[in-house]
Amino acid sequence: MSIMNSLRPGGRNGLSSRETRDPIGLAVAAVNRLAQSDLIDRVGLRRQTEQVVYSTTRNGFRAATVAGRTFARAGRRTAGERPASAESRGLFDLTPTEDEQMLVDVVEELASEVLRPAAAEANEACAAPAEVLEAAQEVGLPGLGVPESLGGIMEERSAMAGTLVAEALAKGDMGLAVAALAPGAVATAIGLWGTEAQQQTYLPAFTGNDVPVAALTIAEPTVLFDPFTLATTALRDGDGFVLDGVKSAVVRGAEAELFVVAAMLDGTPALFLVEAGTDGLEVEADPSMGVRAAALARLHLTGVRVGADALLGDTDGTAYTECVRLSRLAWCALAVGTGQAVLDYVKDYVNERQAFGEPVSHRQSVAFMVADIAIELQAMRLLTWKAASRATRGKDFAREVGLARQLCTEKGMKIGLDGVQLLGGHGFVKEHPVERWYRDLRAVGVMEGAVIV
């Protein structure tokens, strides 16, 4: 049975679970339906209504985060269970294992059958359709980074599997890939650095049938943002902490039930678990140039008080540093997948497009540009896979992920630009997806957090 045939319908009254609990999405949908109505023309309100729609999309809403589910506290505040690192095979071999290849095959079907057809509308709506998110959940993506003993699907450390999955999903659409992978990023973080109590409290929800919306928030609305010099602060207060600051690029922030928030603690960056509905949390729509389907938002923290058990990982920055590196690795994988989509699309286009009685691919300038895309893409893939392989085996991968990010940032944007150029005038219009992929690829060099592998 194909993935498309296995999707379940939305919630009651035809509304998806996302729409029923997302006030921002509901309001945007309402004003858009109003703008499409003939009634406003009959009463002479077309111009005023269009201005409302424009303002809504541009500025969004700002409201307190919705109170999500209640996570029952369980377990002890001792070190939690950590996924085992994969053993080295003694050879430099990046060939996916049999299990990894089976997983990639399923995800590629998901990307082609579900993500790609929904991408254009999701980009316009700045939201991922419920059907896409449900399909990702059914495949088991939220539990990809959770140890099998805690209900996940992998026996060993899965950075390589996560990288392959992110790449495969991005071939469908980067924005939808980010939206689908965001809850799993939080689950992976808790699996890697959580205490037994944090794992027993939160991870069961990520391995069940009703996965919570969750977001890993590192980025901030700061020029030349440095993830190791955060403006968001965490001050010790009695037996807990008080968080203040603003986080940006929060995936599906308006509907998130759990956040992992990065903040400076005693001069060192650290991670904190913050549940939606906590006093002092506000979310604001923040549409972006690219990755629009991820429904990005800003999270405002004003005197947010959390307990001592909210600290995720250590206080010396070790866990946080690894989190940043794993996030950058994930974004490299997304860049590779999107770059592959560009290559596949323009290769067919230039072979089919006729000019002066022959395909435009017969022109050397065109053929060389396509070849350059293929060469740079393969270099991006090899560097990304090498970094993921070292992370999977528990080895230091700082150098490899640094090289991969530099290459994927620079060449990813160039691949997007060349893709637009190869389509000529068609590259500038929304009839073809390359202009969207170009905008998405520009996110790779500026995004921090949101997804990890």
Side-chain angles (χ1 to χ4, degrees), residues 208-283:
N209 295 324
D210 184 20
V211 175
V213 181
L216 169 64
T217 67
I218 292 179
E220 297 176 346
T222 305
V223 177
L224 300 177
F225 170 68
D226 178 0
F228 295 96
T229 307
L230 302 171
T232 303
T233 59
L235 300 179
R236 297 183 185 274
D237 182 58
D239 60 350
F241 307 92
V242 176
L243 276 61
D244 288 279
V246 181
K247 311 304 290 187
S248 61
V250 182
V251 179
R252 299 166 64 192
E255 52 180 329
E257 300 171 81
L258 180 65
F259 301 94
V260 173
V261 178
M264 296 297 287
L265 173 65
D266 301 330
T268 303
L271 300 170
F272 297 87
L273 290 164
V274 182
E275 296 181 18
T278 303
D279 290 342
L281 279 183
E282 286 187 326
V283 66

Side-chain angles (χ1 to χ4, degrees), residues 166 174-189 206 213-220 225 227 247-253 258-262 271 291 294-297 320 323-331 334 443-444 446-453:
M174 185 187 288
L176 289 175
V178 171
L181 292 171
V186 172
T188 298
F206 289 93
V213 181
L216 169 64
T217 67
I218 292 179
E220 297 176 346
F225 170 68
K247 311 304 290 187
S248 61
V250 182
V251 179
R252 299 166 64 192
L258 180 65
F259 301 94
V260 173
V261 178
L271 300 170
V291 201
L296 300 182
Y320 179 81
C323 179
V324 171
R325 290 173 181 166
L326 291 173
S327 171
R328 290 177 172 179
L329 180 56
W331 281 102
L334 292 169
V444 177
V446 297
M447 291 289 283
E448 301 279 5
V451 289
I452 62 174
V453 296

Side-chain angles (χ1 to χ4, degrees), residues 60-336:
F61 296 89
R62 180 168 172 177
T65 57
V66 294
R69 71 191 70 198
T70 300
F71 295 95
R73 296 296 187 270
R76 298 167 296 177
R77 293 178 59 182
T78 56
E81 186 166 345
R82 303 291 181 252
S85 298
E87 294 184 4
S88 174
R89 287 177 280 185
L91 299 172
F92 180 72
D93 183 8
L94 298 178
T95 305
T97 65
E98 184 177 349
D99 288 344
E100 289 169 349
Q101 189 58 56
M102 290 176 60
L103 179 61
V104 169
D105 291 342
V106 172
V107 174
E108 285 184 341
E109 183 184 0
L110 173 69
S112 62
E113 290 193 11
V114 182
L115 270 67
R116 182 68 68 88
E121 290 188 9
N123 175 77
E124 292 299 319
C126 290
E131 294 80 5
V132 172
L133 301 175
E134 289 170 5
Q137 178 177 319
E138 289 177 358
V139 171
L141 296 187
L144 185 61
V146 180
E148 189 178 42
S149 58
L150 297 174
I153 63 176
M154 301 296 289
E155 295 181 7
E156 299 175 330
R157 178 75 179 94
S158 58
M160 190 68 200
T163 298
L164 294 171
V165 165
E167 178 184 332
L169 277 180
K171 292 178 186 177
D173 182 68
M174 185 187 288
L176 289 175
V178 171
L181 292 171
V186 172
T188 298
I190 296 173
L192 288 174
W193 308 300
T195 63
E196 180 187 333
Q198 291 168 337
Q199 292 180 346
Q200 296 295 335
T201 298
Y202 297 107
L203 289 186
F206 289 93
T207 58
N209 295 324
D210 184 20
V211 175
V213 181
L216 169 64
T217 67
I218 292 179
E220 297 176 346
T222 305
V223 177
L224 300 177
F225 170 68
D226 178 0
F228 295 96
T229 307
L230 302 171
T232 303
T233 59
L235 300 179
R236 297 183 185 274
D237 182 58
D239 60 350
F241 307 92
V242 176
L243 276 61
D244 288 279
V246 181
K247 311 304 290 187
S248 61
V250 182
V251 179
R252 299 166 64 192
E255 52 180 329
E257 300 171 81
L258 180 65
F259 301 94
V260 173
V261 178
M264 296 297 287
L265 173 65
D266 301 330
T268 303
L271 300 170
F272 297 87
L273 290 164
V274 182
E275 296 181 18
T278 303
D279 290 342
L281 279 183
E282 286 187 326
V283 66
E284 176 185 10
D286 190 22
S288 58
M289 171 185 174
V291 201
R292 292 172 63 83
L296 300 182
R298 290 190 182 187
L299 182 67
H300 298 259
L301 302 99
T302 307
V304 175
R305 190 177 300 274
V306 294
D309 59 350
L311 178 66
L312 179 62
D314 50 60
T315 58
D316 63 6
T318 301
Y320 179 81
T321 299
E322 185 178 6
C323 179
V324 171
R325 290 173 181 166
L326 291 173
S327 171
R328 290 177 172 179
L329 180 56
W331 281 102
C332 288
L334 292 169
V336 173

